[in-house]
Amino acid sequence: MTELFHEIAGNLRNNKLRTVLTGFAVSWGIFLLICLLGAGNGLMNSFLGNMADYIFQSVSVEGWRTSKPYAGYQEGREIELDESDVTYTEGPRWSPTVGDVTRRTASTGVTFSLDGNTVAGQISGVMPEYKDQEKLKMYAGRFLNPDDLKERRKVVVLSLAQAKELLPKDPDAIVGRWVNAGAVSFRVVGIYHTDESDMYRTCPIPYTAYKVIYDTSDRIESITFTLNGPETRDEYEAFEKEYAGAMRLRHDVAPDDWRGIWIRNGYTDNMEMNDAQRIIRTFLWILGLLTLVSGIVGVSNIMLIAVKERTHEFGIRKAIGASPAEILKLIIAESVTITALFGYIGMFLGMIACQIMDKTVGQEAVDIGITKIQMLVNPTVGLDVALEATILLIVAGTIAGAIPAWKAARVKPIEALRAE
Amino acid sequence: MLIELKGVNKTYDNGQPLHVLKGIDLSIERGEFVSIMGASGSGKSTLLNILGILDNYDTGEYWLDGKLIRDLSEKQAADYRNRMIGFVFQSFNLISFKTAVENVELPLYYQGVSRKKRHEMAMEYLEKLGLTDWASHFPNEMSGGQKQRVAIARALITRPQIILADEPTGALDSKTSVEVMQLLKRLNQEEGITIIVVTHESGVANETDKIIHIKDGIIGEIEENKAHTAWDGTMMK
Ligand SMILES: Nc1ncnc2c1ncn2[C@@H]1O[C@H](COP(=O)(O)OP(=O)(O)OP(=O)(O)O)[C@@H](O)[C@H]1O
Ligand SMILES: [Mg+2]
């Protein structure tokens, strides 16, 4: 084994040009593969990240105005949900499918004031889960917690835009301050990020506090719940039909009057995102495999040429006593050494390129109007994947190279000697 | 009898069959120093390649050291070439990217001899041939005569019983040719190696003890030449 190693080390050292040319092709193949995987990952992360901001995995129910006459009522009747609907939704009929149930009150327009500055806002009573349901991102402080609800604390979470209006010099410092909202004062516990567009003017306060301050009735604006179970769109739709029908029946709304009781379905959106993710992933795999195949073709092509060029040398080796197996061993050992060495270099450079990509393109955001999105998020490849790809290319390249090697090993010595 | 050929035939068939050897009968004893002469295209190289198991023959028998050489596997053939036979070619056939000493070592590599031992032996043979100073030179840094001496060292290093030389002086000037032939003669006399030289130069053939003429694919006259009087030219003085 060490004898073979010395033999090939000498051969490679004394044929620097051939070694470097072959090696370069291998490095280049792996370099491209790693870059492609990195960019693909970046695209995927960006897609998932951007999508996730607009996807709600839960289902919401709201009462609107009926659009059909039903059960003796005229159309255009206002439907209001109340606590009994929450209890019903949490009840045994739906319990296998329905997960956590939360509710939100209607909102009340107020004007916040602090140190002479004012800003408008819509106060709404919510539960701690609201933050995740609406994908709010905290900028400072915290969101509402269960204790706030239990103790009906007069606390509020403002948007960053509102905080800037109230305390232009140091919006962060508003956390912990009391702000006035008409006759009531709230302590600010946190600030959430707003988009450029400033869509969010909603100011969450504990649901229980809202019920004390603004609306002592049972009425609620919406019920939001998670689901355990439906695996397919059909399954989900069957559930939705049954649940919506039952809710509509409770409120004397026609079973198919979707405006009377409206259901916001974020659940199948989420399925769609999973589908999209699967498609992107498949696409990336195909791209990766194609790159890999072209890498293998390149490596085996080079092996073919290298072996052809060396036919005369193999003839000499055979004339002085090399068996076909020895020739085969020599060629394969040389090709493995070259591909492993230069493959590793290509992998290393590819990972550096991914890092550069991350530091440059990865930091750039594209403005699409409503918001800014990042084209590439974390466009890098894990060391494990990179190593796997490299090893795969080395193995495949060697197998592909073994075919011309095997042919070369079988050429009759006299024919090999005649080759020039 | 070291080498015995009985009715050996060889036909090349590249589209049009060419019957080159038409029943060769030939015996060569251990320790002989013979040359094979003949016109260009008469089949000298073909015969030598068969003797060296570099090529196969169609019909007839080839006995080497009492063993019938037929249908050998490539591995067996490689082993015979490695242990029994040393080759010297007109075009030297040194591996260009290996130094003189590395070229000489190579047959021992295929015998599994350790690197250190190989190197020692190769240096010893290079010294014998007066090439110590050229050990680490590449073939393209050496003259034709030097290259041929490296090739001879490589042929000798496995202590073969036979040396097959196909026009070993073909690419050398007359002075160097004389040196190479003297070297082969010395190896024959001092080490008892059987040597077969293919040549079409009478002066070269005259250095050998027996001259075998090949004509139209069969063995013609066999001249005993112990006195080296077959040729009275001035070249090989
Ligand atoms: N591989 C081959 N395929 C077809 N014909 C061949 C092959 N090798 C040799 N020949 C033919 O066989 C004949 C004998 O060739 P060979 O090389 O044995 O001649 P030679 O006596 O060595 O001649 P020279 O003195 O020119 O070297 C020639 O006519 C040659 O063209
Ligand atoms: Mg010839």
Side-chain angles (χ1 to χ4, degrees), chain A residues 2-7 10-11 13-15 18 310 312-313 315-324 326-327 329-330 409-415 417-418, chain B residues 10 12 49 53-56 74-75 78-79 81-82 85 87 89 91 93-95 97-99 102-103 106-107 109-110 112-116 118 138 154 158:
Chain A
T2 54
E3 293 296 319
L4 179 66
F5 174 76
H6 282 293
E7 175 66 20
N11 291 350
R13 206 174 328 110
N14 291 327
N15 288 287
R18 188 182 78 210
R310 296 176 68 184
H312 186 72
E313 176 200 332
I316 298 173
R317 287 176 185 268
K318 284 180 168 186
I320 61 176
S323 64
E326 291 280 359
I327 301 287
K329 210 162 75 182
L330 182 74
R410 279 168 42 99
V411 174
K412 278 203 304 191
I414 189 65
E415 277 163 26
L417 275 174
R418 255 198 290 269
Chain B
K10 171 82 182 175
Y12 286 115
N49 291 335
I53 328 180
L54 289 171
D55 205 350
N56 42 15
E74 274 292 342
K75 187 168 163 42
D79 209 49
R81 289 194 293 267
N82 186 242
I85 304 165
F87 290 96
F89 301 93
S91 56
N93 279 341
L94 298 174
I95 293 179
F97 59 81
K98 286 183 178 287
T99 59
E102 285 168 347
N103 266 288
L106 203 54
Y109 169 77
Y110 290 113
V113 176
S114 80
R115 222 150 57 95
K116 192 157 167 280
R118 267 184 351 232
F138 289 97
R154 182 180 65 185
T158 57

Side-chain angles (χ1 to χ4, degrees), chain B residues 122-180:
Chain B
M123 287 308 292
E124 193 182 303
Y125 275 87
L126 284 175
E127 196 192 332
K128 256 190 193 172
L129 298 184
L131 287 166
T132 309
D133 293 343
W134 296 91
S136 53
H137 283 70
F138 289 97
N140 63 3
E141 299 164 348
M142 288 184 273
S143 72
Q146 287 165 336
K147 280 191 262 199
Q148 200 57 301
R149 279 186 285 158
V150 173
I152 292 172
R154 182 180 65 185
L156 289 175
I157 197 161
T158 57
R159 303 184 156 281
Q161 302 183 30
I162 308 166
I163 285 187
L164 301 176
D166 193 348
E167 311 214 18
T169 61
L172 305 178
D173 62 35
S174 52
K175 181 171 168 286
T176 324
S177 297
V178 174
E179 284 168 16
V180 166

Side-chain angles (χ1 to χ4, degrees), chain A residues 3 7 32 53 97 128-129 160 191 193 222-223 234 240 269 299 316 326 342 350 359 378 410:
Chain A
E3 293 296 319
E7 175 66 20
L32 278 186
D53 285 350
T97 317
E129 293 85 349
L160 182 55
I191 305 172
H193 267 292
S222 72
I223 302 174
D234 287 349
E240 187 188 297
D269 288 355
V299 170
I316 298 173
E326 291 280 359
F342 286 90
K359 295 280 170 326
N378 193 19
R410 279 168 42 99

Side-chain angles (χ1 to χ4, degrees), chain A residues 418, chain B residues 12 14 18 20 38-47 167 200:
Chain A
R418 255 198 290 269
Chain B
Y12 286 115
N14 294 351
L18 182 65
V20 178
S40 185
S42 57
K44 305 182 295 290
S45 298
T46 306
L47 177 59
E167 311 214 18
H200 54 242

Side-chain angles (χ1 to χ4, degrees), chain A residues 160-350:
Chain A
L160 182 55
Q162 288 164 330
K164 280 177 179 164
E165 296 274 334
L166 292 175
L167 269 190
K169 293 218 181 71
D170 186 9
D172 295 31
I174 206 167
V175 175
R177 299 280 304 267
W178 287 83
V179 293
N180 289 322
V184 200
S185 296
F186 290 95
R187 192 164 59 88
V188 178
V189 289
I191 305 172
Y192 65 88
H193 267 292
T194 35
D195 289 33
E196 312 279 296
S197 57
D198 193 21
M199 286 198 307
Y200 301 108
R201 287 269 169 183
T202 300
C203 307
I205 67 167
Y207 165 77
T208 47
Y210 191 94
K211 281 292 168 199
V212 176
I213 301 164
Y214 296 105
D215 180 7
T216 51
S217 77
D218 262 359
R219 277 178 307 176
I220 54 174
E221 178 77 8
S222 72
I223 302 174
T224 300
F225 52 86
T226 56
L227 291 179
N228 324 315
E231 297 287 343
T232 65
R233 208 151 290 143
D234 287 349
E235 266 177 58
Y236 169 78
E237 269 158 18
F239 162 80
E240 187 188 297
K241 194 160 176 242
E242 192 187 346
Y243 176 76
M247 285 296 282
R248 284 169 191 150
L249 202 65
R250 283 172 57 83
H251 293 271
D252 296 320
V253 177
D256 57 347
D257 185 357
W258 63 270
R259 284 205 236 198
I261 288 186
W262 178 79
I263 301 217
R264 183 174 76 172
N265 161 23
Y267 194 74
T268 52
D269 288 355
N270 191 46
M271 284 182 179
E272 262 153 32
M273 187 168 83
N274 286 342
D275 287 350
Q277 195 179 336
R278 206 170 304 128
I279 291 169
I280 295 185
R281 198 160 269 160
T282 313
F283 178 69
L284 284 177
W285 261 106
I286 292 173
L287 265 187
L289 283 177
L290 284 181
T291 316
L292 207 60
V293 166
S294 71
I296 293 166
V297 170
V299 170
S300 54
N301 207 20
I302 287 162
M303 291 300 302
L304 190 83
I305 294 168
V307 164
K308 263 230 157 71
E309 267 182 358
R310 296 176 68 184
T311 308
H312 186 72
E313 176 200 332
F314 297 145
I316 298 173
R317 287 176 185 268
K318 284 180 168 186
I320 61 176
S323 64
E326 291 280 359
I327 301 287
L328 191 66
K329 210 162 75 182
L330 182 74
I331 301 173
I332 290 186
E334 283 194 30
S335 93
V336 170
T337 309
I338 290 184
T339 44
L341 184 70
F342 286 90
Y344 184 78
I345 293 174
M347 181 188 98
F348 185 73
L349 293 179

Side-chain angles (χ1 to χ4, degrees), chain B:
Chain B
M1 205 60 66
L2 185 59
I3 287 173
E4 181 132 47
L5 297 181
K6 293 178 190 161
V8 166
N9 278 275
K10 171 82 182 175
T11 302
Y12 286 115
D13 194 358
N14 294 351
Q16 206 174 352
L18 182 65
H19 200 177
V20 178
L21 300 183
K22 303 169 180 169
I24 297 280
D25 295 303
L26 180 65
S27 301
I28 293 168
E29 304 257 17
R30 195 179 294 276
E32 278 196 276
F33 185 23
V34 305
S35 57
I36 300 175
M37 286 196 78
S40 185
S42 57
K44 305 182 295 290
S45 298
T46 306
L47 177 59
L48 201 74
N49 291 335
I50 289 172
L51 293 179
I53 328 180
L54 289 171
D55 205 350
N56 42 15
Y57 54 99
D58 301 327
T59 58
E61 288 176 9
Y62 169 24
W63 295 83
L64 173 62
D65 199 20
K67 284 183 209 76
L68 180 63
I69 303 299
R70 180 184 286 161
D71 300 332
L72 295 185
S73 72
E74 274 292 342
K75 187 168 163 42
Q76 287 170 309
D79 209 49
Y80 269 108
R81 289 194 293 267
N82 186 242
R83 292 176 190 277
M84 292 267 296
I85 304 165
F87 290 96
V88 179
F89 301 93
Q90 175 177 2
S91 56
F92 320 122
N93 279 341
L94 298 174
I95 293 179
S96 60
F97 59 81
K98 286 183 178 287
T99 59
V101 66
E102 285 168 347
N103 266 288
V104 176
E105 278 179 37
L106 203 54
L108 293 180
Y109 169 77
Y110 290 113
Q111 285 187 358
V113 176
S114 80
R115 222 150 57 95
K116 192 157 167 280
K117 185 86 197 299
R118 267 184 351 232
H119 190 76
E120 277 171 17
M121 287 182 69
M123 287 308 292
E124 193 182 303
Y125 275 87
L126 284 175
E127 196 192 332
K128 256 190 193 172
L129 298 184
L131 287 166
T132 309
D133 293 343
W134 296 91
S136 53
H137 283 70
F138 289 97
N140 63 3
E141 299 164 348
M142 288 184 273
S143 72
Q146 287 165 336
K147 280 191 262 199
Q148 200 57 301
R149 279 186 285 158
V150 173
I152 292 172
R154 182 180 65 185
L156 289 175
I157 197 161
T158 57
R159 303 184 156 281
Q161 302 183 30
I162 308 166
I163 285 187
L164 301 176
D166 193 348
E167 311 214 18
T169 61
L172 305 178
D173 62 35
S174 52
K175 181 171 168 286
T176 324
S177 297
V178 174
E179 284 168 16
V180 166
M181 286 314 289
Q182 296 302 330
L183 175 60
L184 291 178
K185 186 186 260 180
R186 207 178 78 212
L187 288 169
N188 172 251
Q189 284 169 356
E190 291 172 8
E191 322 247 336
I193 302 175
T194 310
I195 298 180
I196 304 173
V197 181
V198 162
T199 181
H200 54 242
E201 290 173 51
S202 310
V204 169
N206 193 35
E207 297 297 310
T208 64
D209 298 338
K210 188 196 260 184
I211 304 171
I212 298 166
H213 292 273
I214 181 167
K215 200 179 175 196
D216 296 332
I218 52 169
I219 302 292
E221 189 194 354
I222 298 181
E223 282 178 75
E224 286 295 338
N225 188 38
K226 287 270 196 283
H228 304 293
T229 52
W231 184 74
D232 57 0
T234 51
M235 187 182 132
M236 302 298 283
K237 277 287 149 63

Side-chain angles (χ1 to χ4, degrees), chain A residues 63-118:
Chain A
W64 288 3
R65 233 174 245 280
T66 59
S67 62
K68 292 175 182 175
Y70 189 73
Y73 292 103
Q74 292 284 308
E75 64 176 276
R77 181 168 58 101
E78 188 97 42
I79 302 299
E80 280 175 344
L81 303 182
D82 60 28
E83 284 296 333
S84 74
D85 291 307
V86 177
T87 316
Y88 175 72
T89 306
E90 283 172 335
R93 178 163 176 197
W94 310 108
S95 60
T97 317
V98 172
D100 296 331
V101 182
T102 64
R103 51 220 182 287
R104 186 164 69 84
T105 68
S107 50
T108 301
V110 299
T111 303
F112 291 105
S113 60
L114 178 68
D115 299 347
N117 295 321
T118 61

